[in-house]
C-alpha cells in the first residue's frame, strides 16, 4: 500500500476538519473559501482514486447515503428531561433559596437556545448516532441529518493532546440562525412553498426530513451543553463542573454555548438582565437563560423529578414590546407593482435593536389596524425579526393631534393612477415601465436570489439606475470603465472589480438566469426543473402553455406566468438585448449535453500562470463549458495543464509527470475560438 499517500490523505482530512471547526464553530476562518475549496477538491480526487482510504469523518461524507423511508426509534441511555420554567425574579429567587439550603451558591448560566434538543453519541471518538428527544425515553434516529451539520464534528479530537473518551454521549440544541431563516423563507416563497413561522420550526422541520441532502442545504447550527455519558477518558478525568465541561467540550472540537456566565446568583441575574435587553442583537433566537448548579457532585445529590432536574431552571425572557408613535406611512413599490404600506415610527429600542419601521403588510392590513398618523402604537418583536404593530392605543388619540393615512391615488414613483384589486387587499401601480418597479427588478437581478453578482450590490445598481447609467438589467453588460469612473466615489480598483464580476456573469446558466428574471413563482428549484425539459432559452420561449403544464411541478399558474412573461414584447426585447451585449445563457451541466466529442470532454484540467486574453475564472468557465473538469492540484490524474505567463512549480511538476502542457493560444485553438 502507498503508505505516504495514505498518510497525506489522513492529514488532509484532519486539516480540512480543523478549518471547518475554525469557520463553523469558532467563526474565525483560518483560510479563504477558495483555499478551502482547493484542498477539498484535492481530497475528492484522492478519494476517487483510492476509495479504500475513505474515512467516515471525511468532510465529503457529511451528505450521502440513501433516502430514508422512516426514522428508527432509539432508547436513550439516560432520559432526556426538560426544565422547570421561571417567568419572573420571584420564581428564580425561590430556586436560589432552595439551592442555598442544599449548600450550593455557585452557578453557571447559558443562553437558552430556541431549537430542538438532540443527543449525540461518539464511540472511540467517532460520531455514531444522533437522536431527537422524542418523549424523553425514546427518540428518533436522525444520524444522517445530524451529520450534515457543519459545527458537529464527525470525529472528536483533542487540541491539547489529551485522550478522547471511548464513549461520550452529549446533549445539546440544533438551531437555525435568523439570517439563514430569513433567506430560507425567501427561497420558499419564491418556490411557492409556505414559509416557516420561526427559526425553531424551521430547524425542527429540517432535522426531521428523510432526505438528508435537503437538511444539508438548510445549514443548521448546533450547541452542546451537557454530557450524559462519559467512559474511558484515559489520562483525562471527566469534568467536575460546568466550567470544566465547557473547556473539555471545546477541546474535543464540540460547539459550546457562545455566551456563558459562572458565579453567584447575582451574577447570573445580571447575565439574564443583559441578555433580556440585548437578545435581538444575537444572531439566533434565545428564549431565556438556563441557570444550573455549577458542580456535578451537587447535581448528582439533588437528582431529578420525573420531568426535570432539580438543579436547573430556565428563566424565560419576557415578550418585548415598546410604545412609540406612528410618524408616517410610506408606500414601497415591489417588482410586481404592489404598493406595500410601511409604518415609519419614532425610533425605539426593543431588545437591543432600534426599531424605526414596521410592515403593515398590504392595503387591507393598514385598514384593519385603523391607524392614524400621530397614534401611539405598541410594537412587538416576536420570534422573528420583523417588528409588528400589535395594538393602536386609540384611547390616547386626541382629535386634533392625529390625521388619517393618505392612500396614494397615484404611484409615488411614476404618478400613474393606482388601482385597488377587487378583494380590496392590494394597491397596485399598473404601469409596467414604472421606474420604481424597474428599480426593484434591478435590485433583485443582482441580489443573492438573482444573478448574485459579487461586488455589485443592490445599492450600487440603484445608484447606476438613478444616475442614468442603465435603464434595464441588460445595460449592466454594456457599462464600460469610463461610465463607472464618471460616478462619485468610484475608484479604479472598484471599477475593475465590478467589470470583472460582470464579465464572469456573461456566461450564465439557464436556471440562474431564469431565476434572476424574477418571474413570479420561478425560483431556483423550478428553474432547474425547467432546464431538464428545455435546454435553451429559445426552446423555453417557444414552449406552449400545454407543454409547460405537462411538466411535474408546473401547474396552470406557473405556466401562465411563464407564458405572460415571454409573450410580453418588452421581455423579448430585453432578452435580445442581453444577447447583443454578449450574455451567453448556457446549460448548467455540459456533461449531459451535446459536446461528448469535444477534445476537452471529461478531461481534468488546470490553469497556471497569468493568462493574457482572459482571467483565470473565464478560462475555467470556458473549459467547464466544453465539458472539462477544472481541478486544483497537479497529480498523475491530471490530463492537461494550460500555462500562461510566469508559470512556475505547477508547470514543472506536470512536465516531470509527463502530462500534456499547452499554451493559452493552443487552449483557445482547442476550443475553436481561434484557428
Ligand atoms: S440544560 C435536563 N442548557 O431547553 C435538561 N438546556 O425547555 C438540561 N435548552 O430540554 C438542559 N438551551 O432542549 C440546557 N443552555 C441550555 C439550553 C437548554 C436550550 C433546551 C433543552 C431543554 C429545554 C427545556
Amino acid at each position: 500500500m502507498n503508505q505516504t499517500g495514505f498518510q497525506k490523505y489522513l492529514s488532509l482530512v484532519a486539516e480540512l476538519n480543523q478549518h471547518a471547526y475554525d469557520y463553523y464553530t469558532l467563526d474565525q476562518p483560518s483560510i479563504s473559501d477558495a483555499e478551502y475549496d482547493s484542498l477539498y477538491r484535492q481530497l475528492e480526487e484522492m478519494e476517487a482514486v483510492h476509495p479504500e482510504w475513505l474515512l467516515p469523518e471525511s468532510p465529503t461524507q457529511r451528505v450521502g447515503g440513501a433516502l430514508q423511508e422512516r426514522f428508527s426509534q432509539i432508547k436513550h441511555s439516560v432520559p432526556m428531561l426538560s426544565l422547570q420554567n421561571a417567568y419572573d425574579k420571584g420564581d428564580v429567587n425561590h430556586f436560589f433559596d432552595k439551592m442555598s439550603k442544599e449548600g450550593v451558591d455557585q452557578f453557571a448560566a447559558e443562553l437558552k437556545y430556541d431549537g430542538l434538543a438532540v443527543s449525540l453519541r461518539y464511540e472511540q471518538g467517532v460520531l455514531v448516532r444522533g437522536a431527537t428527544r422524542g418523549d424523553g425515553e425514546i427518540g428518533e434516529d436522525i444520524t444522517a441529518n445530524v451529520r450534515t451539520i457543519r459545527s458537529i464534528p464527525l470525529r472528536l479530537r483533542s487540541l491539547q493532546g489529551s485522550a478522547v473518551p471511548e464513549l461520550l454521549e452529549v446533549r445539546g440544541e440544533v438551531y437555525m440562525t435568523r439570517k439563514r431563516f430569513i433567506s430560507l423563507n425567501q427561497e420558499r416563497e419564491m418556490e411557492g412553498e409556505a414559509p416557516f413561522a420561526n427559526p425553531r420550526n424551521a430547524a425542527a422541520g429540517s432535522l426531521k426530513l428523510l432526505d438528508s441532502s435537503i437538511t444539508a442545504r438548510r445549514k443548521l447550527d448546533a450547541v452542546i451543553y451537557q454530557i450524559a455519558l462519559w467512559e474511558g477518558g484515559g489520562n483525562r478525568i471527566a469534568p467536575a463542573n460546568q466550567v470544566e465541561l465547557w473547556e473539555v467540550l471545546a477541546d474535543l472540537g464540540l460547539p459550546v454555548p457562545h455566551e456563558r456566565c459562572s458565579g453567584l446568583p447575582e451574577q447570573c441575574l445580571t447575565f439574564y438582565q443583559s441578555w433580556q435587553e440585548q437578545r435581538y442583537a444575537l444572531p439566533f433566537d434565545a428564549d431565556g437563560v438556563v441557570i444550573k448548579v455549577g458542580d456535578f457532585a451537587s447535581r448528582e445529590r439533588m437528582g431529578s423529578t420525573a420531568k426535570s432536574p432539580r438543579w436547573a431552571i430556565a428563566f424565560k425572557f419576557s415578550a418585548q414590546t415598546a410604545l412609540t408613535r406612528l410618524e408616517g406611512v410610506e408606500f414601497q413599490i415591489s417588482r410586481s407593482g404592489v404598493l406595500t404600506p410601511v409604518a415609519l415610527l419614532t425610533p425605539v429600542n426593543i431588545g437591543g435593536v432600534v426599531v424605526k419601521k414596521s410592515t403593515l403588510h398590504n392595503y387591507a392590513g393598514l385598514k384593519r389596524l385603523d391607524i392614524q398618523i400621530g397614534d401611539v402604537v405598541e410594537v412587538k418583536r416576536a420570534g422573528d425579526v420583523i417588528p409588528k404593530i400589535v395594538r393602536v392605543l386609540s384611547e390616547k388619540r386626541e382629535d386634533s393631534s392625529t390625521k388619517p393615512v393618505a392612500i396614494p391615488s397615484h404611484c409615488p414613483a411614476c404618478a400613474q393612477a393606482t388601482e385597488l384589486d377587487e378583494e380590496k387587499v392590494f394597491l397596485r401601480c399598473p404601469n409596467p415601465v414604472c421606474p420604481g418597479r424597474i428599480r426593484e427588478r434591478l435590485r433583485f437581478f443582482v441580489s443573492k436570489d438573482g444573478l448574485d453578482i459579487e461586488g455589485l450590490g443592490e445599492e450600487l445598481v440603484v445608484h447606476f439606475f438613478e444616475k442614468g447609467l442603465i435603464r434595464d438589467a441588460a445595460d449592466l453588460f454594456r457599462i464600460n470603465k469610463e461610465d463607472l469612473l464618471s460616478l462619485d466615489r468610484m475608484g479604479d480598483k472598484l471599477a475593475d472589480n465590478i467589470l470583472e464580476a460582470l464579465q464572469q456573469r456573461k456566461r450564465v446558466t439557464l436556471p440562474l438566469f431564469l431565476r434572476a428574471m424574477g418571474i413570479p413563482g420561478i425560483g431556483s428549484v423550478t428553474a432547474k426543473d425547467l432546464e431538464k425539459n428545455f435546454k435553451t432559452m429559445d426552446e423555453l420561449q417557444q414552449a406552449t402553455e400545454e407543454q409547460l403544464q405537462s411538466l411535474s411541478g408546473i401547474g396552470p399558474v406557473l405556466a401562465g406566468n411563464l407564458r405572460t412573461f415571454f409573450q410580453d414584447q418588452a421581455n423579448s426585447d430585453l432578452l435580445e438585448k442581453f444577447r447583443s451585449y454578449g450574455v451567453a445563457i448556457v446549460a448548467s451541466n455540459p456533461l449531459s449535453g451535446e459536446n461528448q466529442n469535444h477534445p476537452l470532454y471529461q478531461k481534468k484540467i488546470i490553469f497556471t500562470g497569468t493568462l493574457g486574453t482572459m482571467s483565470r475564472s473565464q478560462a475555467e468557465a470556458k473549459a467547464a463549458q466544453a465539458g472539462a473538469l477544472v481541478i486544483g492540484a497537479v497529480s498523475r490524474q491530471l490530463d492537461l495543464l494550460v500555462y500562461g505567463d510566469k508559470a512556475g512549480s505547477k508547470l514543472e511538476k506536470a512536465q516531470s509527470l509527463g502530462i500534456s502542457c499547452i499554451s493559452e493560444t493552443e487552449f483557445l485553438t482547442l476550443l475553436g475560438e481561434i484557428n
Side-chain angles (χ1 to χ4, degrees), residues 80-83 85 110-114 116-117 133 172-173 225-226 257 290 292 309 311 314:
M80 288 180 81
L81 302 177
S82 68
L83 291 170
N85 287 325
E110 294 162 353
L111 289 169
K112 185 169 176 327
Y113 289 76
D114 201 5
L116 212 78
R133 194 172 100 114
E173 204 83 356
Y225 43 69
Q226 203 182 9
V290 182
K292 315 170 178 189
W311 43 263

Side-chain angles (χ1 to χ4, degrees), residues 168-354:
L168 179 73
E169 210 170 290
V170 290
R171 303 274 160 85
E173 204 83 356
V174 168
Y175 63 94
M176 187 180 283
T177 61
R178 289 209 190 101
K179 208 167 150 195
R180 188 58 205 120
F181 164 71
I182 293 168
S183 64
L184 173 63
N185 268 355
Q186 276 168 355
E187 286 163 27
R188 288 176 73 84
E189 279 180 56
M190 282 293 297
E191 301 295 343
E193 288 170 275
F196 286 109
N198 52 49
R200 205 189 70 81
N201 287 4
S206 306
L207 258 194
K208 293 188 176 160
L209 290 165
L210 291 165
D211 181 352
S212 62
S213 68
I214 306 180
T215 310
R217 278 187 256 137
R218 298 283 171 86
K219 301 202 171 73
L220 296 168
D221 261 295
V223 64
I224 303 295
Y225 43 69
Q226 203 182 9
I227 293 181
L229 281 179
W230 166 291
E231 281 172 26
N235 60 352
R236 184 182 352 227
I237 322 161
N241 57 52
Q242 194 71 8
V243 175
E244 287 180 18
L245 175 128
W246 292 328
E247 281 166 12
V248 170
L249 293 184
D251 178 53
L252 292 173
L254 288 159
V256 289
H258 305 74
E259 308 299 340
R260 306 181 289 258
C261 161
S262 70
L264 299 168
E266 298 89 272
Q267 285 158 316
C268 296
L269 290 173
T270 310
F271 179 80
Y272 169 85
Q273 198 51 44
S274 117
W275 286 113
Q276 157 79 18
E277 283 158 22
Q278 298 293 316
R279 54 193 284 207
Y280 292 113
L282 289 166
F284 50 84
D285 276 1
D287 58 340
V289 161
V290 182
I291 303 175
K292 315 170 178 189
V293 167
D295 108 276
F296 295 171
S298 310
R299 288 189 190 179
E300 195 72 27
R301 205 178 58 239
M302 281 179 241
S304 321
T305 67
K307 278 201 231 132
S308 49
R310 295 198 178 84
W311 43 263
I313 196 157
F315 192 1
K316 299 285 228 143
F317 290 139
S318 48
Q320 300 252 313
T321 67
L323 294 184
T324 187
R325 202 175 284 277
L326 181 74
E327 292 187 351
V329 172
E330 182 181 272
F331 285 81
Q332 286 179 355
I333 192 155
S334 75
R335 280 184 280 140
S336 62
V338 173
L339 292 165
T340 302
V342 175
L344 305 175
L345 306 165
T346 307
V348 58
N349 187 319
I350 312 181
V353 173
V354 177

